[in-house]
Amino acid sequence: NMLERSEWIKGCEKNLRGGTVYLKNFRCAAKAEKAILKITALGVYEVKLNGERVGDFILAPGWTSYLNRLQVQSYDVTNLLKTENSLEVTVGQGWRAIANKRDGSDFLGYRDTALIAELTIVYADGRTESIVTDSSWTARESKLRYTNIYDGDIYDATFKAGSARHCICVDLEKDMLIPQEGEKIVEQERMPALQIIKTPAGETVIDFGQNMTGYVEFRIKGTPGAQATISHGETLDRDGNFYNANYRSADAQIKFICDGEEHIYKSALTFFGFRYIRLENWPDEIKKENFTAVVVHSDIRRTGYFECSDETVNKLFKNIIWGQKSNSLDVPTDCPQRDERLGWTGDAQVFVRTASLNFDVKRFFKKWLRDLAADQGRDGCVPHVIPNIFDDMGGSSAWSDAAVICPWEIYRTYGDKAVLEEQFDSMKAWIDWMRERSENGRRSGGSHFGDWLGLDSPEGSYKGATPEDLIATAYYKYSTELFIKAAHALGRDVSEYENIPAEAAAAFRREYMENGRVKNATQTGSVLALFFDITDDRAATATQLNELVKRTGHLETGFVGTPYLLHALSDNGYAETAYDLLLRREYPSWLYPISKGATTVWEHWDGIKPDGTMWSTDMNSFNHYAYGAVADWMYGAAAGINSDPDRPGFEHIIFRPVTDRQLDFVKASIDTRRGTVASEWRRENGRIKYIFTVPEGCCASVIIGGEKHEVGAADRKSTRLNSSHLGIS
Ligand code: BGC
C-alpha cells in the first residue's frame, strides 16, 4: 500500500470553490542526504517547499478514474531542503468537479478536496525521518478565491486569509493509490503575443497566433481593488470581433484583483484552449511583452514528421500536430476549450494511429486504457468517456470499440505485447458484450453516435446518413478480428470467437449489400465495407465509393468514415481520387479551414462557413483532433511507411508509397524504438526517385507499382535504399 503512514487531511475552511493552502513547518536537525516527497490529492495540487515550486508537473495528480486509480507523484526535493522548512500545498477542485458541473449543480455540487503526502528524509548517518500528513498540518484559504477547470480563476491579491487552522484527518480509502503511470504534464513552448488588436466592437484582444492548450502568463500591477478580466477565444468572428460563444457554459476567464504591487500571474490549477485573449478593465498600459501564452500538455516525445511540395498540406499537418498537443493533457480529449474536454472514446479511437506516429504515446495510452478497463461496466460495456463521468452512457459502436482498437494500434506501432496482455480482459469483455447483442453476426439496436457529424446527415441531426446498425455490424466484425489477432500474438486460444468476423461480414453483406455494392449507399458505408474487408467484390465496392465521391466531388464522411476514406480509395485502385480529396481546397475538405485561418483541426467541416458565419454554437470546436486522422494516410500511403501488424513495432516495415502527379515530392520520417524509418519520393527529370531508410535490425518490403522488393535485415547502421538499389526504374 502506498502512503500507509499518512492520513488523508482536509482543511476546516469551507471555500471549496477556491484553493486551500495546506502548510507544514519542520526542522531538519542535520544535512539531508536524500529527501523524497510522495504526494497526491483529491483535486489538483501545486506544491512548494521553502517557496520553490516542487517539480515541473502541472495539474498533478492528473486525471484518472479517481475512485479506482489515483496517481501518487514522487519528487526528489533534496536540494530544496534547509534547516527550517515550510511545505505549502495549494489544492483546488480540478477535474474533481466535472461531474457536478455537468449535473448543472455547479457550485453546490463541489466535492471536498483532500491531501495526502509523505516526505522521507534520509540523513548522512543513515537515520530516516518521515513527515506525514496528519492533524498537525494546518490549512488556510488561498488568494485563489475561485478555480474551476472550465470557468477559470478568480485571484484576489488583496485577500488576507485568517490564521491557518489545524486540519482534520478524514477516513478515506487508500486502496486506489497507484504510482505515477502516465507521462507527467508539463509546460511546453512559450508563445509571445503577436499582436494587440483593437476590434471593431472596441475591445482589446491579443493574438498569440496559434490555437493551443495552456494558460497566459501576464504581468499586472494596477491600483488596489482594480479588477481585470481575461477571456479566452479560439477565433475572431466574421467582423474581426472576439468570439467564444462556442465555449458554451465554460466561462474560461481569469479575474485578477490587484493590490497595487506588481505580479506575474499564471493559472496553477486550471487550463484553457485558446488563441486569443480579450482584456477588460486592464489597469495598466497594455504591452505585448507583458503577455506570454504557455503551452501545457503531457510530456510526449515528437516522433513523426511529414513534408511535401504543397504548402497547404504542410500547414494541415502542422495543425494536426497542434490538435494532438492540445488534446493530450493527461487524457486524450475531444477538445480543450468548451465545457467538455473529456476522454471521448470515439475521438481517441479514430485518432490513435496518427497519434502513435506523431508522438511516442505508449505510456500515455497505456495509462488511459487502464482507466478504460477500470471504468468498464461489469457487463463489459465501455463508457463513452474515460474517465467516466456519465452514469449510464456506453456501448456506441466506434466509440466503445476504443477498448480494442487503441491497444491494437499501440501494439502495432510500438510492438509492445504488454499492452495487449494488460488490456486482454477488457477487450474480451467488450467483444462479449457485442456478441450478446448480435444475432447471426448482425448487431442491431442500442444507442450510437452513428457517423457523427457526417455531412450527409439529415437536417437537424448530428448523425450522418449511414445506418447505425450497419456501422455497428461492421465494427463488430473489425474489433473481433483485431481481438483475435491480439489473442494470437499472445498465444491464447480464442477458437470460440474465430468465426465471428466471417459471420458478421456475411450478415453485413446480406443486410446492406447487393452485387458488391452497398444499398442506399453512403460514402461511409462503402468505406467500411472496403476498409474492414467485408465486401466479397472489392472492385465493385471500390467503383461505387469512387462514384459516390465523384458525384459530389467531395467527402461527406463523419467521425466513422473519415479516417478510412482515403485508405479505402487508394488501397483499391483510386489513388487519384484520394489525392483529389486531400488536395481539395474548397469547402468541404481538409484544406478548406486553412483558407479561414485555421491553426488546428476543426470539429466541423464547416466550423466557419464560406460566407464567414459560424456553425451553431453548441457543437463547434476549432480544436478537435478527430479529422486529423488523415495524417495516418499521409504517413502510410503518401509517404508509404507502414508497420507490418504481423511483425509490429516496425520490425518489418512495409514501404508502399502512393505518388501523385499533383505533388513533386513527399517525405516523412518516424523515430521508432528501433531507429528512424524514413521514406521520400521526388520527381526528377520526369521520373520518380525513391529513398527509404531502414534502421539497423529491421527488414522491409518495398511495394511500388504492384511489384514487391524484399530488403533483408539491415546489419550495421541504418541503410538507405534508393530506387537504383531496388532496380526500380
Ligand atoms: C464530443 C465529441 C464526441 C461526441 C459524441 C461531442 O460532444 O465533442 O467529439 O465524440 O460528443 O457524440
Side-chain angles (χ1 to χ4, degrees):
N1 255 7
M2 300 196 72
L3 298 172
E4 247 174 2
R5 285 176 294 175
S6 314
E7 307 255 20
W8 277 108
I9 57 170
K10 198 170 100 169
C12 295
E13 315 298 338
K14 276 277 159 268
N15 179 30
L16 280 177
R17 297 163 56 181
T20 303
V21 184
Y22 294 83
L23 301 157
K24 173 74 184 176
N25 295 330
F26 60 96
R27 208 184 138 80
C28 288
K31 178 148 174 44
E33 192 99 301
K34 185 136 209 114
I36 303 288
L37 174 67
K38 294 201 155 111
I39 179 168
T40 193
L42 292 178
V44 288
Y45 72 84
E46 183 183 51
V47 51
K48 289 183 177 162
L49 180 54
N50 300 322
E52 300 275 338
R53 192 183 203 280
V54 172
D56 55 357
F57 200 132
I58 309 293
L59 292 161
W63 195 17
T64 44
S65 166
Y66 287 146
L67 288 179
N68 304 297
R69 294 157 38 78
L70 178 60
Q71 300 184 118
V72 175
Q73 287 71 42
S74 195
Y75 304 97
D76 187 331
V77 294
T78 319
N79 294 333
L80 297 178
L81 273 190
K82 296 180 177 164
T83 310
E84 297 296 336
N85 296 284
S86 104
L87 199 52
E88 180 185 315
V89 191
T90 306
V91 180
Q93 288 282 323
W95 288 287
R96 208 167 144 64
I98 286 186
N100 304 68
K101 172 81 183 176
R102 294 185 64 89
D103 289 346
S105 46
D106 210 338
F107 306 147
L108 296 173
Y110 277 36
R111 296 168 180 175
D112 281 357
T113 54
L115 176 72
I116 190 166
E118 172 172 20
L119 172 63
T120 309
I121 306 168
V122 182
Y123 293 104
D125 62 5
R127 221 162 29 93
T128 65
E129 191 183 354
S130 278
I131 314 282
V132 295
T133 41
D134 58 23
S135 56
S136 73
W137 287 55
T138 58
R140 58 170 158 74
E141 288 184 35
S142 143
K143 288 180 193 288
L144 197 50
R145 306 306 299 145
Y146 180 92
T147 177
N148 178 292
I149 215 91
Y150 294 127
D151 292 337
D153 292 342
I154 300 177
Y155 186 87
D156 184 353
T158 67
F159 176 77
K160 299 238 169 359
S163 52
R165 299 203 290 162
H166 278 281
C167 293
I168 47 171
C169 296
V170 275
D171 189 21
L172 292 168
E173 300 215 4
K174 294 185 203 166
D175 292 0
M176 77 295 210
L177 299 180
I178 52 167
Q180 172 67 25
E181 285 182 356
E183 303 285 3
K184 59 183 178 175
I185 306 163
V186 293
E187 292 188 347
Q188 312 274 348
E189 315 60 352
R190 294 174 64 85
M191 314 287 281
L194 284 191
Q195 211 191 343
I196 299 172
I197 303 168
K198 242 313 172 238
T199 66
E203 296 180 321
T204 304
V205 168
I206 296 182
D207 179 8
F208 293 97
Q210 174 63 53
N211 202 7
M212 68 188 120
T213 298
Y215 38 69
V216 177
E217 183 183 282
F218 56 91
R219 189 186 295 270
I220 189 166
K221 190 160 185 265
T223 49
Q227 182 180 317
T229 303
I230 295 182
S231 306
H232 298 75
E234 295 179 281
T235 181
L236 301 179
D237 72 8
R238 178 166 57 168
D239 305 319
N241 286 315
F242 181 80
Y243 177 88
N244 71 358
N246 61 327
Y247 285 36
R248 307 196 302 215
S249 75
D251 292 342
Q253 282 189 336
I254 296 172
K255 290 200 164 80
F256 191 97
I257 301 164
C258 305
D259 63 355
E261 301 291 319
E262 187 172 279
H263 292 263
I264 293 178
Y265 184 84
K266 60 183 178 185
S267 295
L269 304 179
T270 189
F271 65 94
F272 307 89
F274 66 103
R275 166 176 169 172
Y276 299 91
I277 54 172
R278 176 181 61 194
L279 307 180
E280 283 170 297
N281 303 320
W282 204 257
D284 309 321
E285 192 194 333
I286 298 173
K287 296 190 198 144
K288 279 200 280 192
E289 61 267 30
N290 289 340
F291 300 86
T292 305
V294 183
V295 176
V296 177
H297 58 76
S298 292
D299 208 8
I300 45 179
R301 187 174 59 91
R302 177 82 185 271
T303 50
Y305 300 86
F306 178 94
E307 202 192 324
C308 71
S309 54
D310 186 315
E311 279 310 321
T312 317
V313 174
N314 295 340
K315 177 65 180 158
L316 168 66
F317 187 77
K318 284 203 182 86
N319 292 358
I320 294 169
I321 295 290
W322 274 103
Q324 181 167 356
K325 287 161 71 70
S326 307
N327 287 295
S328 302
L329 206 149
D330 211 32
V331 163
T333 53
D334 57 337
C335 59
Q337 74 299 79
R338 70 175 176 223
D339 53 358
E340 294 210 56
R341 315 184 191 177
L342 302 173
W344 280 97
T345 47
D347 308 47
Q349 177 274 110
V350 162
F351 192 69
V352 61
R353 184 185 296 176
T354 291
S356 74
L357 301 174
N358 286 339
F359 288 86
D360 186 337
V361 292
K362 190 173 104 169
R363 254 175 88 114
F364 177 84
F365 264 95
K366 279 175 91 167
K367 166 217 170 233
W368 183 73
L369 284 166
R370 289 181 199 149
D371 288 307
L372 182 147
D375 279 346
Q376 198 167 359
R378 283 169 167 273
D379 60 353
C381 187
V382 179
H384 292 151
V385 296
I386 302 293
N388 188 19
I389 60 156
F390 305 130
D391 283 342
D392 54 350
M393 271 176 66
S396 168
S397 61
W399 270 251
S400 296
D401 290 285
V404 173
I405 296 170
C406 293
W408 175 258
E409 293 295 342
I410 293 300
Y411 167 70
R412 177 173 169 180
T413 297
Y414 305 112
D416 175 47
K417 267 192 196 162
V419 69
L420 299 183
E421 194 72 61
E422 269 179 32
Q423 297 303 126
F424 188 80
D425 292 343
S426 154
M427 295 166 101
K428 181 167 178 296
W430 169 243
I431 302 295
D432 288 340
W433 190 90
M434 287 194 283
R435 192 182 184 186
E436 266 158 42
R437 285 155 187 80
S438 71
E439 235 188 295
N440 299 323
R442 175 162 184 254
R443 289 252 289 119
S444 63
S447 85
H448 301 275
F449 296 113
D451 187 22
W452 187 247
L453 308 185
L455 279 177
D456 51 8
S457 63
E459 190 62 37
S461 168
Y462 281 127
K463 298 179 188 176
T466 312
E468 292 175 17
D469 293 355
L470 177 155
I471 297 172
T473 303
Y475 271 90
Y476 181 39
K477 191 263 179 190
Y478 183 58
S479 284
T480 309
E481 198 163 71
L482 296 185
F483 166 68
I484 293 166
K485 284 189 191 172
H488 290 171
L490 296 173
R492 301 207 192 194
D493 173 33
V494 283
S495 40
E496 55 164 320
Y497 297 86
E498 308 256 359
N499 62 340
I500 294 178
E503 210 176 82
F508 184 105
R509 293 192 297 264
R510 200 166 57 235
E511 207 67 39
Y512 307 110
M513 296 186 80
E514 211 163 38
N515 305 322
R517 295 170 72 91
V518 177
K519 291 189 265 186
N520 304 318
T522 58
Q523 291 181 5
T524 292
S526 320
V527 164
L528 295 182
L530 287 162
F531 192 80
F532 289 171
D533 198 16
I534 289 170
T535 177
D536 53 8
D537 188 347
R538 219 155 242 290
T541 318
T543 308
Q544 180 185 34
L545 175 60
N546 191 54
E547 281 166 16
L548 286 168
V549 173
K550 292 277 174 191
R551 192 159 74 204
T552 52
H554 59 72
L555 51 74
E556 288 185 326
T557 48
F559 272 39
V560 166
T562 303
Y564 310 135
L565 173 62
L566 300 191
H567 291 288
L569 287 164
S570 67
D571 288 350
N572 295 291
Y574 293 100
E576 244 185 77
T577 312
Y579 267 107
D580 287 346
L581 289 178
L582 177 71
L583 298 175
R584 181 181 158 93
R585 274 148 223 274
E586 306 77 37
Y587 167 79
S589 66
W590 279 281
L591 299 186
Y592 162 72
I594 292 163
S595 72
K596 293 287 177 192
T599 59
T600 38
V601 176
W602 295 354
E603 176 175 29
H604 271 266
W605 294 116
D606 53 353
I608 299 175
K609 297 183 192 165
D611 68 2
T613 59
M614 305 273 178
W615 171 266
S616 91
T617 53
D618 67 69
M619 201 66 81
N620 201 17
S621 148
F622 293 101
N623 205 350
H624 246 61
Y625 58 33
Y627 292 157
V630 69
D632 82 47
W633 188 85
M634 293 158 87
Y635 288 113
I641 303 175
N642 296 279
S643 174
D644 179 351
D646 294 329
R647 290 165 70 189
F650 292 91
E651 183 192 330
H652 180 231
I653 306 154
I654 303 173
F655 289 111
R656 197 170 31 205
V658 178
T659 60
D660 187 71
R661 65 196 148 69
Q662 299 174 78
L663 296 180
D664 295 327
F665 78 91
V666 164
K667 61 178 180 186
S669 69
I670 299 166
D671 292 331
T672 75
R673 285 165 182 247
R674 296 165 182 275
T676 300
V677 178
S679 162
E680 178 177 346
W681 59 262
R682 58 177 65 244
R683 216 171 284 289
E684 254 171 36
N685 310 324
R687 285 175 144 200
I688 291 180
K689 189 178 168 203
Y690 298 89
I691 301 174
F692 304 104
T693 305
V694 184
E696 177 181 355
C698 300
C699 331
S701 305
V702 175
I703 303 170
I704 288 169
E707 267 184 63
K708 196 166 171 179
H709 311 261
E710 295 299 339
V711 183
D715 34 16
R716 324 220 133 235
K717 44 187 167 27
S718 70
T719 308
R720 269 165 75 90
L721 303 161
N722 62 33
S723 323
S724 53
H725 290 126
L726 296 165
I728 299 163
S729 50

